[in-house]
Every structure is written in structure tokens, then in C-alpha cells.
Amino acid sequence: MFDRDKRTGREIGRRAFIATSGGALVAFILWCYQRSDPNRVEASPDKPPQQVTIVEFTDAGVRKGVVTEPMIRKTDAEWKAQLPHDSYEITRNADTERPFTGALLNEHDKGVFRCICCDTALFSSETKFDSGTGWPSFWAPIAKENVNEIRDMSLGMMRTEVRCRLCDAHLGHVFDDGPDPTGLRYCMNSVALRFAKAS
């Protein structure tokens, strides 16, 4: 009887080890896939940059007008030189900051949240709300023209990634569990944004 119990214990231990190792391997593969970021735009001397149309806003959130300009493309080295390390990893490599650590989580002043990479207006303080998730959350972008929403299959689930239209910076993800009037939650990384307070 004791021999059988020992064998059963060893078999369970072996199975747990195999399951844990397999899970770790799958997590590592998904992490590598996410880091490869096939949507990232690099500078290319061969072809001219794509033209994009965005809406400009003052820091008070007043619409100034529509402009069409070349998409900003830089090399990895140029982005690294321009951005703090955390901002680089999140905006250029689609990383995610830890919840409840972002400087803009509790920002409640009136103003505009701009892209840390190119200063495009992305979100207004008027649509910010406390989602309880640990990331700055908004129920709508300041202008749909200023963001791209891309299907994201990383981490083994279907999500919608949000990127800056002008420079292709990864900002976060949008979910359909937000408040009225849109029912959406744009869950953003603080270090992907710069807050411009209304004067």
C-alpha cells in the first residue's frame, strides 16, 4: 500500500512539473511573440512616409483643425535617445506598465493627454474616469482620427490595441466594459502619455 502511495505521489509530482514547465514555455513563446511587434513602424530610406490625417487641439481641448502630414518614422536608436527607458519599452515594444504605478492615474486637472513620442492630442480630461483597473482610463479618444485600433492576438487572447496615428506608438488597449455614453474603456499606459494642463 505504501509503495503504491509513493508511486502515486511521484507521478503527481512529475505531472505537476511537466504542466508547470509547459505553461512556462507557452508564456515565454507568447512573450517573445509580443516583443517582436510586427506592427511597429521603422524609418525606411527606401520609400516616403505614409500621409496621415489628425485633428489638432489646444491644451484646453479646443479643436483647432485637421492637418495631413507624414507619419513620423524613426530608427530604434533615435527613439531610445528621445524617450525615457519605460516610455521606450511601452510605446515602441508594446510593453505594459504595472497597474497603480503610473503618474497620470490620479491626474484630475483639466487638460489634454498627448502622445509622449510626438505630442499628438489623444485624450481629454473630460472623458477620463476611474476604472479601478490601475491604469488611466477614458471612455473615448479626443478624436477618432488621432488613434489607430488594431486587432491584437498576443498573450493568447483577442484584444484591441490602441496606437497613436501619427507616430504608431503603442498606448494601451480598448475594452467594451466602460461607462456611458460609449460603453468603452480606453486603458492607457501613463508613460505613453504627457499631460498638458489647460491654462
Side-chain angles (χ1 to χ4, degrees):
M1 179 171 120
F2 292 116
D3 284 344
R4 197 177 81 192
D5 289 346
K6 282 181 189 174
R7 274 199 310 270
T8 304
R10 277 196 300 263
E11 286 172 16
I12 290 171
R14 216 176 290 133
R15 286 183 192 146
F17 174 77
I18 290 168
T20 304
S21 300
L25 180 60
V26 168
F28 177 74
I29 290 167
L30 288 172
W31 179 79
C32 289
Y33 174 77
Q34 182 181 12
R35 304 283 290 183
S36 67
D37 195 8
N39 295 313
R40 189 166 65 188
V41 175
E42 286 282 344
S44 170
D46 308 3
K47 41 186 181 169
Q50 173 188 349
Q51 297 289 310
V52 294
T53 300
I54 60 168
V55 183
E56 293 186 322
F57 290 84
T58 67
D59 291 345
V62 176
R63 186 183 174 110
K64 289 166 60 177
V66 176
V67 296
T68 299
E69 46 190 82
M71 189 174 192
I72 295 172
R73 298 190 303 186
K74 296 184 180 184
T75 64
D76 235 16
E78 288 171 322
W79 285 123
K80 278 183 181 175
Q82 175 186 328
L83 300 167
H85 177 74
D86 287 349
S87 296
Y88 167 79
E89 287 300 330
I90 285 168
T91 60
R92 308 326 306 179
N93 289 325
D95 206 348
T96 302
E97 69 189 357
R98 285 179 294 126
F100 300 102
T101 62
L104 299 179
L105 178 61
N106 296 310
E107 180 58 68
H108 301 296
D109 285 331
K110 181 174 171 56
V112 169
F113 295 82
R114 297 182 176 277
C115 177
I116 193 73
C117 298
C118 68
D119 222 36
T120 297
L122 299 170
F123 297 94
S124 166
S125 57
E126 300 294 319
T127 63
K128 190 170 188 283
F129 70 98
D130 182 5
S131 66
T133 61
W135 290 279
S137 299
F138 307 84
W139 48 261
I142 198 166
K144 270 290 199 184
E145 297 92 332
N146 292 8
V147 297
N148 277 331
E149 294 181 13
I150 301 162
R151 191 171 147 185
D152 175 10
M153 293 297 293
S154 64
L155 303 181
M157 64 182 99
M158 219 290 270
R159 298 182 295 170
T160 302
E161 180 186 13
V162 181
R163 288 180 173 261
C164 173
R165 188 176 304 270
L166 185 58
C167 72
D168 200 44
H170 170 79
L171 306 170
H173 290 86
V174 60
F175 303 93
D176 61 1
D177 58 1
D180 291 335
T182 64
L184 299 174
R185 171 173 56 95
Y186 286 81
C187 194
M188 302 293 102
N189 291 285
S190 282
V191 297
L193 306 172
R194 175 184 77 79
F195 181 66
K197 187 176 177 180
S199 50

PDB file of all heavy atoms in Angstrom, residues 64-89:
ATOM      1  N   LYS A  64      -8.686  72.720 -33.066  1.00  0.00           N
ATOM      2  CA  LYS A  64      -8.075  73.760 -33.890  1.00  0.00           C
ATOM      3  C   LYS A  64      -8.290  73.512 -35.375  1.00  0.00           C
ATOM      4  O   LYS A  64      -8.453  74.440 -36.150  1.00  0.00           O
ATOM      5  CB  LYS A  64      -6.567  73.839 -33.612  1.00  0.00           C
ATOM      6  CG  LYS A  64      -6.234  74.422 -32.260  1.00  0.00           C
ATOM      7  CD  LYS A  64      -4.795  74.194 -31.852  1.00  0.00           C
ATOM      8  CE  LYS A  64      -3.795  74.789 -32.800  1.00  0.00           C
ATOM      9  NZ  LYS A  64      -2.394  74.607 -32.321  1.00  0.00           N
ATOM     10  N   GLY A  65      -8.247  72.273 -35.793  1.00  0.00           N
ATOM     11  CA  GLY A  65      -8.424  71.967 -37.205  1.00  0.00           C
ATOM     12  C   GLY A  65      -7.799  70.635 -37.561  1.00  0.00           C
ATOM     13  O   GLY A  65      -7.160  69.976 -36.737  1.00  0.00           O
ATOM     14  N   VAL A  66      -7.976  70.265 -38.828  1.00  0.00           N
ATOM     15  CA  VAL A  66      -7.470  68.985 -39.340  1.00  0.00           C
ATOM     16  C   VAL A  66      -6.217  69.243 -40.154  1.00  0.00           C
ATOM     17  O   VAL A  66      -6.162  70.189 -40.940  1.00  0.00           O
ATOM     18  CB  VAL A  66      -8.546  68.303 -40.213  1.00  0.00           C
ATOM     19  CG1 VAL A  66      -8.026  67.022 -40.830  1.00  0.00           C
ATOM     20  CG2 VAL A  66      -9.797  68.021 -39.380  1.00  0.00           C
ATOM     21  N   VAL A  67      -5.194  68.413 -39.943  1.00  0.00           N
ATOM     22  CA  VAL A  67      -3.956  68.533 -40.726  1.00  0.00           C
ATOM     23  C   VAL A  67      -3.580  67.164 -41.294  1.00  0.00           C
ATOM     24  O   VAL A  67      -3.884  66.135 -40.700  1.00  0.00           O
ATOM     25  CB  VAL A  67      -2.776  69.082 -39.885  1.00  0.00           C
ATOM     26  CG1 VAL A  67      -3.047  70.500 -39.424  1.00  0.00           C
ATOM     27  CG2 VAL A  67      -2.461  68.182 -38.698  1.00  0.00           C
ATOM     28  N   THR A  68      -2.929  67.183 -42.441  1.00  0.00           N
ATOM     29  CA  THR A  68      -2.388  65.962 -43.034  1.00  0.00           C
ATOM     30  C   THR A  68      -0.887  66.130 -43.103  1.00  0.00           C
ATOM     31  O   THR A  68      -0.387  67.127 -43.639  1.00  0.00           O
ATOM     32  CB  THR A  68      -2.972  65.732 -44.439  1.00  0.00           C
ATOM     33  OG1 THR A  68      -4.394  65.593 -44.318  1.00  0.00           O
ATOM     34  CG2 THR A  68      -2.404  64.471 -45.074  1.00  0.00           C
ATOM     35  N   GLU A  69      -0.179  65.177 -42.540  1.00  0.00           N
ATOM     36  CA  GLU A  69       1.283  65.255 -42.527  1.00  0.00           C
ATOM     37  C   GLU A  69       1.889  63.865 -42.591  1.00  0.00           C
ATOM     38  O   GLU A  69       1.195  62.868 -42.389  1.00  0.00           O
ATOM     39  CB  GLU A  69       1.786  66.028 -41.320  1.00  0.00           C
ATOM     40  CG  GLU A  69       1.160  65.684 -39.995  1.00  0.00           C
ATOM     41  CD  GLU A  69       1.562  66.678 -38.926  1.00  0.00           C
ATOM     42  OE1 GLU A  69       0.946  67.758 -38.841  1.00  0.00           O
ATOM     43  OE2 GLU A  69       2.501  66.350 -38.176  1.00  0.00           O
ATOM     44  N   PRO A  70       3.210  63.800 -42.892  1.00  0.00           N
ATOM     45  CA  PRO A  70       3.839  62.473 -42.989  1.00  0.00           C
ATOM     46  C   PRO A  70       3.891  61.783 -41.633  1.00  0.00           C
ATOM     47  O   PRO A  70       4.144  62.416 -40.620  1.00  0.00           O
ATOM     48  CB  PRO A  70       5.251  62.768 -43.503  1.00  0.00           C
ATOM     49  CG  PRO A  70       5.397  64.235 -43.570  1.00  0.00           C
ATOM     50  CD  PRO A  70       4.107  64.880 -43.197  1.00  0.00           C
ATOM     51  N   MET A  71       3.654  60.481 -41.647  1.00  0.00           N
ATOM     52  CA  MET A  71       3.765  59.685 -40.427  1.00  0.00           C
ATOM     53  C   MET A  71       5.203  59.761 -39.923  1.00  0.00           C
ATOM     54  O   MET A  71       6.150  59.687 -40.707  1.00  0.00           O
ATOM     55  CB  MET A  71       3.393  58.242 -40.749  1.00  0.00           C
ATOM     56  CG  MET A  71       3.257  57.366 -39.561  1.00  0.00           C
ATOM     57  SD  MET A  71       2.636  55.744 -40.094  1.00  0.00           S
ATOM     58  CE  MET A  71       2.232  55.047 -38.524  1.00  0.00           C
ATOM     59  N   ILE A  72       5.356  59.923 -38.615  1.00  0.00           N
ATOM     60  CA  ILE A  72       6.697  60.030 -38.028  1.00  0.00           C
ATOM     61  C   ILE A  72       7.319  58.646 -37.947  1.00  0.00           C
ATOM     62  O   ILE A  72       6.752  57.732 -37.344  1.00  0.00           O
ATOM     63  CB  ILE A  72       6.634  60.673 -36.637  1.00  0.00           C
ATOM     64  CG1 ILE A  72       6.141  62.109 -36.760  1.00  0.00           C
ATOM     65  CG2 ILE A  72       7.996  60.613 -35.951  1.00  0.00           C
ATOM     66  CD1 ILE A  72       5.848  62.779 -35.440  1.00  0.00           C
ATOM     67  N   ARG A  73       8.485  58.514 -38.572  1.00  0.00           N
ATOM     68  CA  ARG A  73       9.205  57.237 -38.541  1.00  0.00           C
ATOM     69  C   ARG A  73      10.637  57.511 -38.098  1.00  0.00           C
ATOM     70  O   ARG A  73      11.310  58.378 -38.651  1.00  0.00           O
ATOM     71  CB  ARG A  73       9.193  56.575 -39.915  1.00  0.00           C
ATOM     72  CG  ARG A  73       7.778  56.249 -40.378  1.00  0.00           C
ATOM     73  CD  ARG A  73       7.763  55.397 -41.611  1.00  0.00           C
ATOM     74  NE  ARG A  73       8.489  56.002 -42.716  1.00  0.00           N
ATOM     75  CZ  ARG A  73       8.519  55.506 -43.944  1.00  0.00           C
ATOM     76  NH1 ARG A  73       7.879  54.404 -44.217  1.00  0.00           N
ATOM     77  NH2 ARG A  73       9.187  56.102 -44.899  1.00  0.00           N
ATOM     78  N   LYS A  74      11.077  56.764 -37.105  1.00  0.00           N
ATOM     79  CA  LYS A  74      12.436  56.904 -36.587  1.00  0.00           C
ATOM     80  C   LYS A  74      13.035  55.529 -36.377  1.00  0.00           C
ATOM     81  O   LYS A  74      12.321  54.539 -36.251  1.00  0.00           O
ATOM     82  CB  LYS A  74      12.430  57.667 -35.256  1.00  0.00           C
ATOM     83  CG  LYS A  74      11.937  59.097 -35.371  1.00  0.00           C
ATOM     84  CD  LYS A  74      12.040  59.827 -34.042  1.00  0.00           C
ATOM     85  CE  LYS A  74      11.532  61.254 -34.183  1.00  0.00           C
ATOM     86  NZ  LYS A  74      11.691  62.022 -32.941  1.00  0.00           N
ATOM     87  N   THR A  75      14.354  55.499 -36.324  1.00  0.00           N
ATOM     88  CA  THR A  75      15.026  54.241 -36.029  1.00  0.00           C
ATOM     89  C   THR A  75      14.889  53.932 -34.544  1.00  0.00           C
ATOM     90  O   THR A  75      14.574  54.814 -33.737  1.00  0.00           O
ATOM     91  CB  THR A  75      16.517  54.314 -36.387  1.00  0.00           C
ATOM     92  OG1 THR A  75      17.132  55.295 -35.545  1.00  0.00           O
ATOM     93  CG2 THR A  75      16.720  54.675 -37.857  1.00  0.00           C
ATOM     94  N   ASP A  76      15.148  52.686 -34.200  1.00  0.00           N
ATOM     95  CA  ASP A  76      15.152  52.283 -32.797  1.00  0.00           C
ATOM     96  C   ASP A  76      16.099  53.150 -31.978  1.00  0.00           C
ATOM     97  O   ASP A  76      15.773  53.570 -30.876  1.00  0.00           O
ATOM     98  CB  ASP A  76      15.588  50.814 -32.715  1.00  0.00           C
ATOM     99  CG  ASP A  76      14.574  49.971 -31.988  1.00  0.00           C
ATOM    100  OD1 ASP A  76      13.432  50.426 -31.822  1.00  0.00           O
ATOM    101  OD2 ASP A  76      14.935  48.858 -31.568  1.00  0.00           O
ATOM    102  N   ALA A  77      17.279  53.409 -32.520  1.00  0.00           N
ATOM    103  CA  ALA A  77      18.284  54.209 -31.815  1.00  0.00           C
ATOM    104  C   ALA A  77      17.774  55.625 -31.567  1.00  0.00           C
ATOM    105  O   ALA A  77      18.016  56.202 -30.493  1.00  0.00           O
ATOM    106  CB  ALA A  77      19.585  54.241 -32.620  1.00  0.00           C
ATOM    107  N   GLU A  78      17.071  56.190 -32.532  1.00  0.00           N
ATOM    108  CA  GLU A  78      16.523  57.541 -32.365  1.00  0.00           C
ATOM    109  C   GLU A  78      15.448  57.575 -31.289  1.00  0.00           C
ATOM    110  O   GLU A  78      15.406  58.500 -30.469  1.00  0.00           O
ATOM    111  CB  GLU A  78      15.964  58.050 -33.694  1.00  0.00           C
ATOM    112  CG  GLU A  78      17.040  58.387 -34.711  1.00  0.00           C
ATOM    113  CD  GLU A  78      16.490  58.691 -36.094  1.00  0.00           C
ATOM    114  OE1 GLU A  78      15.517  58.018 -36.527  1.00  0.00           O
ATOM    115  OE2 GLU A  78      17.042  59.599 -36.747  1.00  0.00           O
ATOM    116  N   TRP A  79      14.558  56.559 -31.266  1.00  0.00           N
ATOM    117  CA  TRP A  79      13.530  56.517 -30.224  1.00  0.00           C
ATOM    118  C   TRP A  79      14.183  56.332 -28.853  1.00  0.00           C
ATOM    119  O   TRP A  79      13.769  56.972 -27.873  1.00  0.00           O
ATOM    120  CB  TRP A  79      12.538  55.389 -30.481  1.00  0.00           C
ATOM    121  CG  TRP A  79      11.563  55.641 -31.584  1.00  0.00           C
ATOM    122  CD1 TRP A  79      11.353  54.871 -32.697  1.00  0.00           C
ATOM    123  CD2 TRP A  79      10.634  56.742 -31.704  1.00  0.00           C
ATOM    124  NE1 TRP A  79      10.368  55.419 -33.490  1.00  0.00           N
ATOM    125  CE2 TRP A  79       9.907  56.567 -32.904  1.00  0.00           C
ATOM    126  CE3 TRP A  79      10.350  57.849 -30.910  1.00  0.00           C
ATOM    127  CZ2 TRP A  79       8.920  57.448 -33.323  1.00  0.00           C
ATOM    128  CZ3 TRP A  79       9.363  58.741 -31.332  1.00  0.00           C
ATOM    129  CH2 TRP A  79       8.661  58.537 -32.517  1.00  0.00           C
ATOM    130  N   LYS A  80      15.195  55.485 -28.766  1.00  0.00           N
ATOM    131  CA  LYS A  80      15.875  55.264 -27.479  1.00  0.00           C
ATOM    132  C   LYS A  80      16.520  56.541 -26.965  1.00  0.00           C
ATOM    133  O   LYS A  80      16.527  56.803 -25.762  1.00  0.00           O
ATOM    134  CB  LYS A  80      16.950  54.175 -27.628  1.00  0.00           C
ATOM    135  CG  LYS A  80      16.409  52.779 -27.545  1.00  0.00           C
ATOM    136  CD  LYS A  80      17.521  51.756 -27.632  1.00  0.00           C
ATOM    137  CE  LYS A  80      16.954  50.352 -27.561  1.00  0.00           C
ATOM    138  NZ  LYS A  80      17.969  49.318 -27.753  1.00  0.00           N
ATOM    139  N   ALA A  81      17.069  57.330 -27.875  1.00  0.00           N
ATOM    140  CA  ALA A  81      17.710  58.589 -27.483  1.00  0.00           C
ATOM    141  C   ALA A  81      16.680  59.626 -27.032  1.00  0.00           C
ATOM    142  O   ALA A  81      16.952  60.455 -26.163  1.00  0.00           O
ATOM    143  CB  ALA A  81      18.540  59.147 -28.643  1.00  0.00           C
ATOM    144  N   GLN A  82      15.493  59.576 -27.599  1.00  0.00           N
ATOM    145  CA  GLN A  82      14.452  60.574 -27.306  1.00  0.00           C
ATOM    146  C   GLN A  82      13.664  60.274 -26.042  1.00  0.00           C
ATOM    147  O   GLN A  82      13.301  61.196 -25.309  1.00  0.00           O
ATOM    148  CB  GLN A  82      13.479  60.658 -28.490  1.00  0.00           C
ATOM    149  CG  GLN A  82      12.285  61.574 -28.241  1.00  0.00           C
ATOM    150  CD  GLN A  82      11.252  61.532 -29.357  1.00  0.00           C
ATOM    151  OE1 GLN A  82      11.600  61.331 -30.516  1.00  0.00           O
ATOM    152  NE2 GLN A  82       9.988  61.717 -29.009  1.00  0.00           N
ATOM    153  N   LEU A  83      13.405  58.994 -25.772  1.00  0.00           N
ATOM    154  CA  LEU A  83      12.446  58.621 -24.734  1.00  0.00           C
ATOM    155  C   LEU A  83      13.102  58.064 -23.473  1.00  0.00           C
ATOM    156  O   LEU A  83      14.140  57.403 -23.555  1.00  0.00           O
ATOM    157  CB  LEU A  83      11.489  57.552 -25.280  1.00  0.00           C
ATOM    158  CG  LEU A  83      10.649  57.935 -26.493  1.00  0.00           C
ATOM    159  CD1 LEU A  83      10.008  56.687 -27.096  1.00  0.00           C
ATOM    160  CD2 LEU A  83       9.583  58.960 -26.100  1.00  0.00           C
ATOM    161  N   PRO A  84      12.477  58.286 -22.300  1.00  0.00           N
ATOM    162  CA  PRO A  84      12.909  57.561 -21.095  1.00  0.00           C
ATOM    163  C   PRO A  84      12.734  56.056 -21.338  1.00  0.00           C
ATOM    164  O   PRO A  84      11.909  55.640 -22.147  1.00  0.00           O
ATOM    165  CB  PRO A  84      11.942  58.051 -20.009  1.00  0.00           C
ATOM    166  CG  PRO A  84      11.363  59.322 -20.531  1.00  0.00           C
ATOM    167  CD  PRO A  84      11.372  59.216 -22.031  1.00  0.00           C
ATOM    168  N   HIS A  85      13.489  55.246 -20.612  1.00  0.00           N
ATOM    169  CA  HIS A  85      13.503  53.795 -20.832  1.00  0.00           C
ATOM    170  C   HIS A  85      12.100  53.184 -20.789  1.00  0.00           C
ATOM    171  O   HIS A  85      11.716  52.426 -21.689  1.00  0.00           O
ATOM    172  CB  HIS A  85      14.408  53.112 -19.807  1.00  0.00           C
ATOM    173  CG  HIS A  85      14.410  51.618 -19.938  1.00  0.00           C
ATOM    174  ND1 HIS A  85      15.054  50.963 -20.962  1.00  0.00           N
ATOM    175  CD2 HIS A  85      13.798  50.653 -19.190  1.00  0.00           C
ATOM    176  CE1 HIS A  85      14.859  49.660 -20.853  1.00  0.00           C
ATOM    177  NE2 HIS A  85      14.109  49.446 -19.783  1.00  0.00           N
ATOM    178  N   ASP A  86      11.307  53.499 -19.744  1.00  0.00           N
ATOM    179  CA  ASP A  86       9.963  52.915 -19.627  1.00  0.00           C
ATOM    180  C   ASP A  86       9.073  53.327 -20.795  1.00  0.00           C
ATOM    181  O   ASP A  86       8.315  52.502 -21.331  1.00  0.00           O
ATOM    182  CB  ASP A  86       9.300  53.331 -18.310  1.00  0.00           C
ATOM    183  CG  ASP A  86       9.911  52.632 -17.111  1.00  0.00           C
ATOM    184  OD1 ASP A  86      10.702  51.685 -17.310  1.00  0.00           O
ATOM    185  OD2 ASP A  86       9.601  53.030 -15.971  1.00  0.00           O
ATOM    186  N   SER A  87       9.138  54.586 -21.174  1.00  0.00           N
ATOM    187  CA  SER A  87       8.324  55.065 -22.293  1.00  0.00           C
ATOM    188  C   SER A  87       8.728  54.378 -23.590  1.00  0.00           C
ATOM    189  O   SER A  87       7.873  54.016 -24.406  1.00  0.00           O
ATOM    190  CB  SER A  87       8.466  56.584 -22.447  1.00  0.00           C
ATOM    191  OG  SER A  87       7.955  57.236 -21.311  1.00  0.00           O
ATOM    192  N   TYR A  88      10.022  54.177 -23.776  1.00  0.00           N
ATOM    193  CA  TYR A  88      10.502  53.480 -24.979  1.00  0.00           C
ATOM    194  C   TYR A  88       9.970  52.049 -25.016  1.00  0.00           C
ATOM    195  O   TYR A  88       9.430  51.597 -26.026  1.00  0.00           O
ATOM    196  CB  TYR A  88      12.032  53.483 -25.030  1.00  0.00           C
ATOM    197  CG  TYR A  88      12.572  52.527 -26.061  1.00  0.00           C
ATOM    198  CD1 TYR A  88      12.595  52.869 -27.413  1.00  0.00           C
ATOM    199  CD2 TYR A  88      13.020  51.258 -25.690  1.00  0.00           C
ATOM    200  CE1 TYR A  88      13.042  51.974 -28.374  1.00  0.00           C
ATOM    201  CE2 TYR A  88      13.471  50.363 -26.638  1.00  0.00           C
ATOM    202  CZ  TYR A  88      13.483  50.723 -27.980  1.00  0.00           C
ATOM    203  OH  TYR A  88      13.918  49.830 -28.927  1.00  0.00           O
ATOM    204  N   GLU A  89      10.118  51.320 -23.918  1.00  0.00           N
ATOM    205  CA  GLU A  89       9.695  49.918 -23.886  1.00  0.00           C
ATOM    206  C   GLU A  89       8.193  49.773 -24.147  1.00  0.00           C
ATOM    207  O   GLU A  89       7.759  48.844 -24.824  1.00  0.00           O
ATOM    208  CB  GLU A  89      10.052  49.278 -22.535  1.00  0.00           C
ATOM    209  CG  GLU A  89      11.531  49.009 -22.349  1.00  0.00           C
ATOM    210  CD  GLU A  89      12.116  48.057 -23.387  1.00  0.00           C
ATOM    211  OE1 GLU A  89      11.395  47.178 -23.894  1.00  0.00           O
ATOM    212  OE2 GLU A  89      13.307  48.209 -23.704  1.00  0.00           O
TER     213      GLU A  89
END
